[in-house]
Amino acid sequence: MQIGGRSTLAFKSPIKFGRILTNASSPIKRIDLEMVIRYVDSAMNKIFDLELLSTFVAVAETRSFTQAAPRVGRSQSAVSMQMQRLEQSLGKQLLVRTPKAVIPNTVGNDLLAYARRLLKLSDEAWTSVTGKSDVGSVRLGVPDDYAASLLPQVLRRFANEYPQIVVDLVCEPTDKLNAAILENSIDLAIVTRKANQPIEILRRERLVWVSSLTHMAWETDPLPVALFESCTARAHVLRALADNDRAYRCTYSSPSLLGLVTIVQTGLSVAALALCSVPDSLRIIGENEGLPTLDDLEIGIIRNPLSDGAAVDHLYDTLRRDLSH
């Protein structure tokens, strides 16, 4: 029963409150009820929160709260708070936080192995109980900068939920993916929306300036810029520079994220990347360095109208659910 908001136990006579009696005059043990309640509460709290473990795995794999955020569909501050909650619940530090990276310590690495197993087991249990055993294949197109930052955890969950469905991943720039949909060579595409393109928007991602950790290329005039080949990000960069009358020269052009990251790491150029795809080897710069603000990127999904079947339906629904925010 409840007394003044506290839980108590009711004993039938001849047992008196706080004592166990073999008879009316022979007490053998006194029970501290508050201690018992605290013990039971503590035991019941020794259950891992799978959502916190999922975020922990994302942080450990990306070594960044910022990079983990889009993978779990939360803000950077929410990811940081979740990790604090996990550490507080265990009473142990799991992550070493440095200015450049967030790295699991020894205890964190031990937990990481268990976390992956628990999440995999949870997904297997869900699949077994729900009976989702569809078979098939889906051709998914995505730019490589989104593939590296947004898809790993989504595709891992999908594979656990639908182990008999094969995903063929095609990494190409948005323009080529738009064409591939029209040519019926892929089923689904994650793309950066072009101006006035009628597609479903899943999320908006900040487009940010990046530079080498040890060089200040932005101080050079004209500004040396590395650009993606024909894409929305390139158009945003050129428009922002023109609107602010900032002289520039294109020092490098590439269709791939790796190409841009490599040239920026040398200190020879700055570039603009989606926030979710900025690696720890680069730093984010902006107005404080005299660079213009860039428009956000709109990330959307396109479905081939000729593609049908349960496999395509399942991946389409998963992408919409897990990438939207």
Side-chain angles (χ1 to χ4, degrees):
M1 70 175 116
Q2 297 284 328
I3 298 179
R6 292 176 56 186
S7 298
T8 65
L9 300 179
F11 296 90
K12 293 182 179 180
S13 179
I15 298 176
K16 299 181 181 297
F17 183 80
R19 290 178 181 272
I20 296 178
L21 304 178
T22 55
N23 56 51
S25 61
S26 178
I28 59 173
K29 186 176 183 181
R30 183 171 184 82
I31 299 175
D32 186 330
L33 294 180
E34 290 188 357
M35 182 66 73
V36 170
I37 292 169
R38 285 198 297 271
Y39 176 80
V40 172
D41 285 344
S42 174
M44 292 180 66
N45 285 334
K46 292 179 180 178
I47 300 174
F48 278 112
D49 184 327
L50 293 181
E51 185 176 346
L52 295 184
L53 290 182
S54 179
T55 302
F56 172 69
V57 170
V59 171
E61 291 180 346
T62 62
R63 297 195 169 195
S64 166
F65 293 147
T66 300
Q67 298 298 322
R71 287 179 55 171
V72 297
R74 292 184 175 274
S75 66
Q76 183 272 339
S77 59
V79 168
S80 178
M81 290 178 63
Q82 281 191 318
M83 292 303 90
Q84 291 178 21
R85 282 175 51 200
L86 181 60
E87 290 178 325
Q88 289 170 359
S89 68
L90 294 172
K92 293 182 178 294
Q93 183 178 350
L94 303 172
L95 300 166
V96 178
R97 297 157 173 84
T98 72
K100 295 183 180 179
V102 182
I103 305 170
N105 57 18
T106 302
V107 177
N109 280 320
D110 289 342
L111 177 61
L112 182 59
Y114 286 110
R116 286 172 172 152
R117 288 164 57 187
L118 287 170
L119 292 170
K120 185 175 186 295
L121 186 60
S122 174
D123 289 335
E124 290 175 355
W126 178 272
T127 300
S128 176
V129 172
T130 58
K132 294 179 178 178
S133 57
D134 298 273
V135 177
S137 64
V138 187
R139 300 164 299 174
L140 172 63
V142 60
D144 64 348
D145 49 337
Y146 298 158
S149 58
L150 298 181
L151 289 188
Q153 190 160 329
V154 175
L155 293 182
R156 185 181 300 115
R157 284 198 295 264
F158 183 80
N160 289 330
E161 190 171 356
Y162 300 100
Q164 301 303 314
I165 296 178
V166 176
V167 178
D168 296 322
L169 198 61
V170 178
C171 292
E172 294 285 359
T174 286
D175 283 351
K176 291 187 177 181
L177 295 177
N178 286 327
I181 287 285
L182 296 176
E183 295 165 359
N184 194 31
S185 58
I186 58 175
D187 304 302
L188 301 171
I190 302 297
V191 299
T192 304
R193 178 178 176 270
K194 301 177 75 70
N196 302 317
Q197 185 180 12
I199 63 172
E200 179 182 2
I201 303 301
L202 298 179
R203 62 196 294 143
R204 286 174 171 77
E205 195 73 29
R206 284 180 57 202
L207 182 63
V208 297
W209 293 102
V210 294
S211 75
S212 161
L213 295 175
T214 56
H215 299 81
M216 295 181 289
W218 65 85
E219 294 184 343
T220 304
D221 189 34
L223 180 70
V225 182
L227 296 168
F228 281 113
E229 292 180 0
S230 179
C231 71
T232 302
R234 181 189 182 103
H236 284 356
V237 169
L238 296 180
R239 182 169 57 251
L241 292 171
D243 289 346
N244 287 267
D245 295 323
R246 180 67 187 265
Y248 72 92
R249 60 187 179 90
C250 179
T251 59
Y252 187 85
S253 182
S254 171
S256 75
L257 173 66
L258 179 59
L260 258 63
V261 169
T262 300
I263 196 67
V264 173
Q265 285 176 335
T266 66
L268 299 177
S269 293
V270 299
L273 302 178
L275 178 61
C276 64
S277 62
V278 177
D280 293 330
S281 59
L282 301 180
R283 63 168 162 168
I284 296 173
I285 56 177
E287 292 183 358
N288 290 339
E289 289 75 24
L291 298 175
T293 301
L294 300 167
D295 292 336
D296 291 346
L297 299 172
E298 295 179 322
I299 301 175
I301 185 169
I302 305 175
R303 178 169 180 166
N304 185 336
L306 300 179
S307 298
D308 54 14
V312 177
D313 290 340
H314 291 322
L315 183 56
Y316 179 69
D317 291 340
T318 297
L319 293 169
R320 294 180 68 223
R321 180 193 67 204
D322 291 356
L323 294 182
S324 296
H325 73 65

